[in-house]
Amino acid sequence: MDRFFVELEDIDLENKSLNIYGEDVKHISKVLRYSNGDKIEVCDGHNKEYICEIVEISKDTVLLNIIEEVNVNRESKIKIKLYQGLPKSTKMDIILQKLTECGVSEIILVNTKRSVVNLNDKKADKKIERWERIVYEAAKQSKRGIIPKLRGVLSFGEALKDMSENDINISPYEAEKSLGIKEVLSSERVKKIVDSKEEVSIGIFIGPEGGFSESENEKIKEKGIDSVSMGPRIFRTETASIVASSITLYELGDIGGM
């Protein structure tokens, strides 16, 4: 069953109805060719889901009746905030799509020393808008209970400051030899934090192409962030983001579980 998101104000629980607006209207009517009486899933972006029946499709609106409220929690207590050094080309598209599918809660764009993309130009707003749409479509496809946040662009220093608010922080670094990501995630320190809280925020800082510079990695360590290895092979930035997030959610969250 296809899934769509709506704003809370578009849901009328008293009358068991809701409305879908925007680009999804065209997608429902023209692409998927739904009609009156067909059923779809609708999520409010706050983990509440509804099975709905289409009542009427107009040019700007799809009106639906709420048939059933579904109590399915699709979100992990492990809230990953992925800090991504800006990559070039279409790599960001892949990163956003796959991180959303994996279960990341927030993606923060960061300018680092080796970032080659400039989002301060006139095209920045259009890029961000397109990236937000990629996240939205991936959230629909993977049946997320929320739409992950996309924010930034932060400077390297701003990213480190932002990470200080997280419960746990790690930063994969290709030259790291002394500490593995699994070693950190399976440590008693991390387990104690995870067991003691209803929600745990974990920051993962990924460098762009070429990774972090040595000076950046030293600053990361100075802030008490664990610089970790992900094994003997070197990952591309888009692969590192996905692998680090998947490992974290497998070790501490709900990937691989029921």
Side-chain angles (χ1 to χ4, degrees):
M1 193 178 295
D2 288 299
R3 183 183 188 81
F4 297 88
F5 287 88
V6 296
E7 300 293 335
L8 289 172
E9 57 264 29
D10 297 327
I11 302 173
D12 184 351
L13 291 178
E14 185 177 347
N15 294 304
K16 293 189 176 298
S17 67
L18 57 82
N19 290 280
I20 293 176
Y21 301 101
E23 292 185 24
D24 282 338
V25 175
K26 183 178 179 181
H27 188 67
I28 288 170
S29 61
K30 303 297 183 183
V31 179
L32 298 174
R33 297 187 178 277
Y34 278 123
S35 57
N36 295 352
D38 288 334
K39 295 178 177 62
I40 61 173
E41 288 181 353
V42 178
C43 181
D44 66 359
H46 297 271
N47 280 317
K48 285 192 176 181
E49 305 178 17
Y50 306 92
I51 305 299
C52 299
E53 182 181 36
I54 297 174
V55 176
E56 182 182 357
I57 301 176
S58 64
K59 182 180 179 181
D60 303 312
T61 312
V62 178
L63 174 63
L64 304 106
N65 278 338
I66 297 173
I67 299 173
E68 179 186 0
E69 182 175 338
V70 184
N71 295 314
V72 179
N73 187 4
R74 303 183 190 272
E75 300 301 315
S76 172
K77 68 175 281 185
I78 304 300
K79 306 302 178 184
I80 292 181
K81 294 169 67 177
L82 196 290
Y83 298 79
Q84 176 65 54
L86 283 171
K88 61 184 178 181
S89 187
T90 58
K91 291 181 179 180
M92 198 69 215
D93 296 8
I94 297 170
I95 291 168
L96 295 172
Q97 183 185 69
K98 301 311 176 187
L99 289 183
T100 301
E101 291 178 24
C102 286
V104 167
S105 298
E106 190 170 352
I107 303 155
I108 302 99
L109 310 176
V110 185
N111 261 324
T112 65
K113 186 174 182 179
R114 292 174 178 165
S115 294
V116 294
V117 174
N118 180 14
L119 279 187
N120 296 319
D121 57 25
K122 295 180 181 178
K123 297 180 180 179
D125 289 343
K126 288 186 177 180
K127 284 183 180 179
I128 296 294
E129 185 178 334
R130 184 170 68 82
W131 287 343
E132 287 176 338
R133 191 69 193 177
I134 289 171
V135 171
Y136 177 73
E137 292 296 335
K140 285 166 53 181
Q141 181 274 321
S142 56
K143 295 186 181 291
R144 293 289 301 270
I146 64 165
I147 302 171
K149 295 179 182 178
L150 176 64
R151 63 183 177 91
V153 178
L154 304 186
S155 67
F156 181 79
E158 288 170 337
L160 292 182
K161 184 177 180 181
D162 194 89
M163 293 181 80
S164 67
E165 300 177 5
N166 300 329
D167 298 308
I168 303 162
N169 287 300
I170 58 175
S171 178
Y173 182 53
E174 65 272 13
E176 182 61 51
K177 303 298 181 185
S178 60
L179 190 64
I181 184 172
K182 185 171 183 177
E183 182 181 350
V184 172
L185 296 176
S186 61
S187 68
E188 288 301 319
R189 173 179 64 89
V190 169
K191 286 183 177 179
K192 187 175 181 180
I193 294 171
V194 172
D195 291 342
S196 66
K197 304 189 73 171
E198 290 187 7
E199 287 190 355
V200 180
S201 60
I202 299 184
I204 303 177
F205 202 172
I206 303 290
E209 290 93 346
F212 294 116
S213 66
E214 287 187 24
S215 62
E216 284 174 330
N217 194 56
E218 286 304 314
K219 289 177 182 177
I220 286 170
K221 289 183 175 181
E222 287 171 6
K223 292 295 183 180
I225 298 169
D226 288 314
S227 176
V228 298
S229 167
M230 293 202 295
R233 291 167 293 280
I234 305 300
F235 295 110
R236 293 177 183 270
T237 182
E238 65 271 28
T239 311
S241 297
I242 298 162
V243 171
S245 300
S246 299
I247 290 172
T248 302
L249 284 169
Y250 177 79
E251 289 290 333
L252 304 176
D254 56 4
I255 283 185
M258 296 293 293

